[in-house]
């Protein structure tokens, strides 16, 4: 399944600590008459902005459940969190309060941690009963990263860039923005309190912190750098960019900049809105608020944030949010947002966000539906609201007590137990899987009589049914040696990373070059190199088949790093002068059955041929639209979890034409070693074929060694037979 960035999986929390402060400006100095430097005369709350949170969470939930698009709500939350939390920090620093960062972090964790941890424990328990074991390993990693607030990096690293909710999506995938916001809070505390501490040390008798306008300049400069980085990331690797804290930071820092500007313009704790906006008429503020609110509501219908956020188009919801902040609390829109309904929804926004997404995913997993219908969606919303209300009453409110009440102690204890249970359980399961896959990989061989794999199709070896190898739950870790040893370049790397396998001292060389679909052949090539005396030099890059005259695409986005990497590889290959380059020769059609050979593949082959290098073009193996291991774990069969051959492959290998047109090109086709006449199964000869949607297990590729050896020997003339 080819997937794209998450649909609006942002946190609704703004982290409660920040929201409860919710100032509209920050006083530069302690209010006259304060009893201590740390005592703060808090400015009035912006109840309309709390209501805006209610609108935003409603948009997020509706768009998640029924529309499958980005609503822009996540960007509203990020901007508000920057405004709220930074204003609170600035007020503390200006008032001469303590700059102890631990106190501030503990305060945030006390409000945020318990509801998050209890939700994670509930998800873990539900997953044991509702999700196949094949998904537990990935989910375990995500649960642990959720506990420690780095789930956004976990999702980015594993390319969890989903297009929309479906049963295969992680039930905690939405927590990436909770991690982003928490990381921002640590960063903001370090910047504001750190600079205030330096100021107090350098000038003990002067102002207690830098001026707010100085902070405004600093925040805006950070926002500009982050914005440029995000705009570049949209073009380079959107799946990573979507989760990247650095790419998201500009949205939060613009909110922080406005908070600093408000602080700079304030002259006292009781300054009214009309004094705060002396140059803007009430009519202009009203129009600004209406425009801002309208843009937030319609954003998701007109902007494809899946492929464009947090790039420049994210300015639309961000600027709309800033417009509502700047418009003030005395507009008609603000009055509407301040009513009891929106205020109540805003008050349960964080737990509502926490609960609605896993409930949606579990509903889809149990029902087998690809999307929620009207009644199902209403049921999810009702259950989410009920759980959110209970979470506020039983979890959030007790933890807000400033003293160690029995309720606070009980909730904190439960949260700690939840964190330990989730972490220990997840790590324990992953250790079990690691041991299972190590046992498979350490053997390095396949027992032909019990697990013939591809030999069942190519050599007619039949075996009685036996436990599949590798086990379903460990299949995703049955990886080629190049991945295990870090010999494949990631999406951002343009350098031609190279490793050598096979007979490393041999005079003959085959270069293995291309994407991960070229990579999974290294297991068989390594064995053949040792057997027949040639070395295998790898040039591999994630998602990057060789291309010279056409911009490669990574999903819907251009992939310029791939183009640069290919040029470097071809230059290195020309200098190396190997006998052959082994690479993929076909790819699946995107909108029709079968496979084809792109013209940009043949352009590469012509360049290699011109350099005197032979080409071994292997037909790509069939792609599935789902993880076969999940299908098998849910009770499917090897046939039902496979794909009809006519859907995956043309009747004739499309690369054969190049065999007649291009001297030095040989077309290799192992389709008959993966598929029979009618179907490409998920398992063959007691060996699992796929480790994910479209990559072969290293174990199955090992059983392909004999047939690949026959074809390479025939093409090169280096040997005869297998």
């Amino acid at each position: 399944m080819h997937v794209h960035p998450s649909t609006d999986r942002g946190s609704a929390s703004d982290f409660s600590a920040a929201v409860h402060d919710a100032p509209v400006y920050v006083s530069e100095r302690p209010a006259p008459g304060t009893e201590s430097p740390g005592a703060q005369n808090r400015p009035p709350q912006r109840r309309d902005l709390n209501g805006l949170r209610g609108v935003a969470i409603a948009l997020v939930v509706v768009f998640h459940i029924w529309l499958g698009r980005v609503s822009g709500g996540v960007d509203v939350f990020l901007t508000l969190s920057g405004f709220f939390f930074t204003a609170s920090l600035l007020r503390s620093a200006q008032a001469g309060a303590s700059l102890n960062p631990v106190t501030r972090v503990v305060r945030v964790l006390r409000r945020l941690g318990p509801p998050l941890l209890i939700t994670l424990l509930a998800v873990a328990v539900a997953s044991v009963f509702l999700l196949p074991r094949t998904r537990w390993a990935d989910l375990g990693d995500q649960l642990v990263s959720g506990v420690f607030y780095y789930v956004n990096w976990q999702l980015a690293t594993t390319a969890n860039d989903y297009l929309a909710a479906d049963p295969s999506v992680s039930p905690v995938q939405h927590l990436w923005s909770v991690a982003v916001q928490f990381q921002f809070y640590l960063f903001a505390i370090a910047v504001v309190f750190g600079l205030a501490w330096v100021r107090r040390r350098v000038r003990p008798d002067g102002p207690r912190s830098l001026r707010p306008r100085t902070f405004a300049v600093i925040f805006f400069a950070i926002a500009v750098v982050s914005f440029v980085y995000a705009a570049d990331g949209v073009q380079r690797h959107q799946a990573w960019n979507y989760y990247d804290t650095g790419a998201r930071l500009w949205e939060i820092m613009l909110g922080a900049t406005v908070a600093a500007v408000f602080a700079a313009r304030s002259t006292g704790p009781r300054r009214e809105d009309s004094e705060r906006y002396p140059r803007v008429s009430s009519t202009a503020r009203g129009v600004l608020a209406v425009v801002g609110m309208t843009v937030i509501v319609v954003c998701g219908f007109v902007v494809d944030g899946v492929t464009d956020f947090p790039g420049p188009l994210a300015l639309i919801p961000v600027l709309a949010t800033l417009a509502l902040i700047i418009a003030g609390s005395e507009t008609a829109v603000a009055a509407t947002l301040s009513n009891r309904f929106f205020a109540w929804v805003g008050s349960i926004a964080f737990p509502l966000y926490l609960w609605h997404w896993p409930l949606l995913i579990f509903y889809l997993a149990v029902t087998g539906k690809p999307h929620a219908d009207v009644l199902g969606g209403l049921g999810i919303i009702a259950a989410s609201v009920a759980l959110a209300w209970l979470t506020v009453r039983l979890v959030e409110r007790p933890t807000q007590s400033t003293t160690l009440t029995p309720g606070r102690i009980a909730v904190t204890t439960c949260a700690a137990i939840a964190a330990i249970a989730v972490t220990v359980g997840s790590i324990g399961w992953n250790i079990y899987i690691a041991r299972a896959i190590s046992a498979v990989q350490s053997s390095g061989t396949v027992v032909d009589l019990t697990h013939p794999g591809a030999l069942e199709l190519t050599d007619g070896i039949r075996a009685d049914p036996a436990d599949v190898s590798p086990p379903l739950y460990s299949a995703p870790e049955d990886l080629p040696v190049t991945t295990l040893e870090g010999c494949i370049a990631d999406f951002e790397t343009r350098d031609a990373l190279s490793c050598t396998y096979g007979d490393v001292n041999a005079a003959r060389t085959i270069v293995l070059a291309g994407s991960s679909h070229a990579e999974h052949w290294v297991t068989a090539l390594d064995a053949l190199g040792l057997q027949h005396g040639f070395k295998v030099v790898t040039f591999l890059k994630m998602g990057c088949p060789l291309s010279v005259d056409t911009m490669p695409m990574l999903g819907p986005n251009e992939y310029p790093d791939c183009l640069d990497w290919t040029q470097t590889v071809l230059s290195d290959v020309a200098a190396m002068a190997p006998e052959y380059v082994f690479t993929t020769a076909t790819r699946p059609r995107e909108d029709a059955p079968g496979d084809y050979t792109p013209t940009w593949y043949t352009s590469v082959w012509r360049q290699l041929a011109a350099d005197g290098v032979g080409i071994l073009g292997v037909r790509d193996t069939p792609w599935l639209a789902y993880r076969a291991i999940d299908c098998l774990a849910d009770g499917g069969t090897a046939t039902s979890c496979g794909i009809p051959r006519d859907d995956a492959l043309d009747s004739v290998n499309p690369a054969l034409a190049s065999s007649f047109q291009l001297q030095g090109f040989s077309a290799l086709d192992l389709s008959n070693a993966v598929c029979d006449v009618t179907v490409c199964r998920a398992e063959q000869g007691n060996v699992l074929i796929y480790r994910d949607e479209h990559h072969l297990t290293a174990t199955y590729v090992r059983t392909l060694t004999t047939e690949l050896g026959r074809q390479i020997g025939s093409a090169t003339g280096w040997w005869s037979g297998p």
Side-chain angles (χ1 to χ4, degrees), residues 253-329:
M253 295 310 298
L254 285 183
T257 301
V258 172
V261 170
F262 278 14
R265 296 192 60 182
S266 65
T267 57
R270 301 299 180 186
R271 191 167 187 179
E272 302 297 332
D273 274 358
S274 59
E275 296 173 320
R276 218 175 298 121
Y277 305 99
R279 299 178 183 176
V280 182
S281 69
S282 59
T283 300
R285 294 201 304 273
V287 172
L288 189 64
V290 170
V291 172
M293 193 71 252
T294 302
V295 168
I296 288 174
V297 172
V298 305
C299 175
F301 294 100
V302 298
V303 179
D304 184 9
V306 169
T307 59
D308 294 318
F309 289 177
L313 287 180
L315 280 169
I316 296 173
V318 169
L319 293 180
T321 304
L322 295 180
L324 286 166
I325 294 174
I326 294 170
S329 59

